[in-house]
Amino acid sequence: MNTSGISMAVLGSGSGGNATLVRCGATHVLVDAGLSARQIVQRMATLGVEPGQLDGILLTHEHGDHINGVDVLLRTRNIPVYTNAMTREVLRDQMKSEIRWVLFDSGQEFKLGEFSIRTFKIPHDAVEPVGFVFIGKNVRLGMVTDVGYVTESIREELRGSHGICIEANYDLGLLERDTKRPWETKQRIVSRHGHLSNTETAGLLAEIACERLNHVILSHLSPDCNCPKLASETVRTQLAEQGHVNVQVQCARQDQPSEWVNIS
């Protein structure tokens, strides 16, 4: 058990499904459940966590790649689901399970076990998407996924974090040359309610990084319009230009869970 701060492990990240474990002491939280319930349980098991250890599931927004596993996962389990009212309204008629909803207002801070969790609105093409900042044992972990552009609120909430998990969805050059996506889809991706590029993510991190930042986890990489090497090098270069040369940068994968990352 981690007792020194916050640990996180990405179970899977990408258009095929997103789910991330965050823990502090004995408290375990699942952020999004977009993989199948079976995959979530299996991947959690490789990290030494059983579903019964979860103190809550937090949802960022209602898109399928973030919620697809919720219903089946909770058929026989009584794990509370934390979300805002707008997201709950969209989802509850889709669910056959008896879900124990716990509502928060976007912008609210609340306690969950050993965590204090800050919530904040982010721009994306969903009803009311949110990002989270987890605070525990004097450690801050910021988490933002599926965001169209960087707002001042995002900057301020992530500033001062020891760890940041954030999407780096595409490389603009690769997206422009991609032949699989129609023009309309490309326009949606680069819009103010789409996704962040490597360059946009790197620019944000370079702007808000401080001496306490030790880990960056890049998520939601496009398999066609990005690659881990390109994304991580783009971020490392901009961080280094601001003097942050010791930040560990890694990319989450779709096909397998990461190891535990200790944020301290």
Side-chain angles (χ1 to χ4, degrees):
M1 180 183 298
N2 174 53
T3 59
S4 61
I6 296 174
S7 298
M8 65 165 292
V10 180
L11 300 183
S13 183
S15 58
N18 298 272
T20 301
L21 274 175
V22 186
R23 71 181 179 187
C24 182
T27 302
H28 293 76
V29 174
L30 183 66
V31 181
D32 289 333
L35 302 168
S36 71
R38 181 178 182 179
Q39 279 294 312
I40 290 171
V41 172
Q42 288 178 346
R43 296 186 187 198
M44 284 174 53
T46 68
L47 296 162
V49 179
E50 298 296 324
Q53 294 176 259
L54 292 176
D55 296 281
I57 300 172
L58 274 60
L59 300 182
T60 59
H61 63 293
E62 76 275 11
H63 288 170
D65 59 333
H66 293 260
I67 62 92
N68 277 340
V70 172
D71 196 13
V72 175
L73 185 65
L74 298 184
R75 289 281 165 86
T76 58
R77 301 179 179 97
N78 185 26
I79 304 168
V81 176
Y82 291 74
T83 189
N84 55 47
M86 291 290 286
T87 302
R88 192 271 308 267
E89 285 302 304
V90 175
L91 291 178
R92 64 178 175 179
D93 290 339
Q94 303 176 27
M95 302 293 171
K96 298 178 181 178
S97 302
E98 290 292 328
I99 294 185
R100 180 154 56 108
W101 301 99
V102 180
L103 299 184
F104 58 78
D105 294 324
S106 300
Q108 178 185 351
E109 181 172 340
F110 60 90
K111 293 284 291 184
L112 177 51
E114 297 186 52
F115 285 116
S116 290
I117 301 174
R118 295 179 59 86
T119 68
F120 55 97
K121 293 182 179 181
I122 59 176
H124 187 55
D125 56 356
V127 291
E128 194 173 314
V130 293
F132 299 110
V133 175
F134 295 86
I135 305 168
K137 299 185 185 295
N138 297 314
V139 175
R140 291 173 63 96
L141 168 65
M143 188 173 297
V144 176
T145 183
D146 291 43
V147 55
Y149 70 99
V150 178
T151 64
E152 189 58 34
S153 173
I154 291 173
R155 290 187 183 92
E156 291 309 308
E157 292 292 345
L158 297 184
R159 200 182 303 275
S161 296
H162 298 80
I164 297 175
C165 182
I166 186 169
E167 78 162 355
N169 183 248
Y170 65 94
D171 171 80
L172 183 58
L174 290 178
L175 179 64
E176 290 175 343
R177 294 190 295 273
D178 178 64
T179 58
K180 296 182 179 180
R181 291 163 177 78
W183 180 85
E184 293 82 1
T185 301
K186 293 182 181 182
Q187 288 300 108
R188 179 256 174 188
I189 291 170
V190 302
S191 76
R192 288 170 67 85
H193 290 86
H195 293 276
L196 291 183
S197 69
N198 293 342
T199 302
E200 291 169 326
T201 298
L204 167 64
L205 293 168
E207 178 183 354
I208 66 171
C210 63
E211 66 280 355
R212 70 181 67 172
L213 180 64
N214 57 72
H215 278 92
V216 168
I217 298 91
L218 303 177
S219 64
H220 220 302
L221 273 68
S222 166
D224 303 312
C225 302
N226 208 351
C227 70
K229 181 179 180 182
L230 184 58
S232 57
E233 286 183 352
T234 302
V235 169
R236 287 192 190 101
T237 298
Q238 289 212 35
L239 285 171
E241 288 175 355
Q242 299 301 315
H244 302 290
V245 296
N246 295 318
V247 180
Q248 300 296 310
V249 179
Q250 63 190 76
C251 295
R253 295 178 56 167
Q254 180 72 90
D255 60 337
Q256 66 182 49
S258 71
E259 297 180 350
W260 284 109
V261 177
N262 294 319
I263 312 295
S264 60

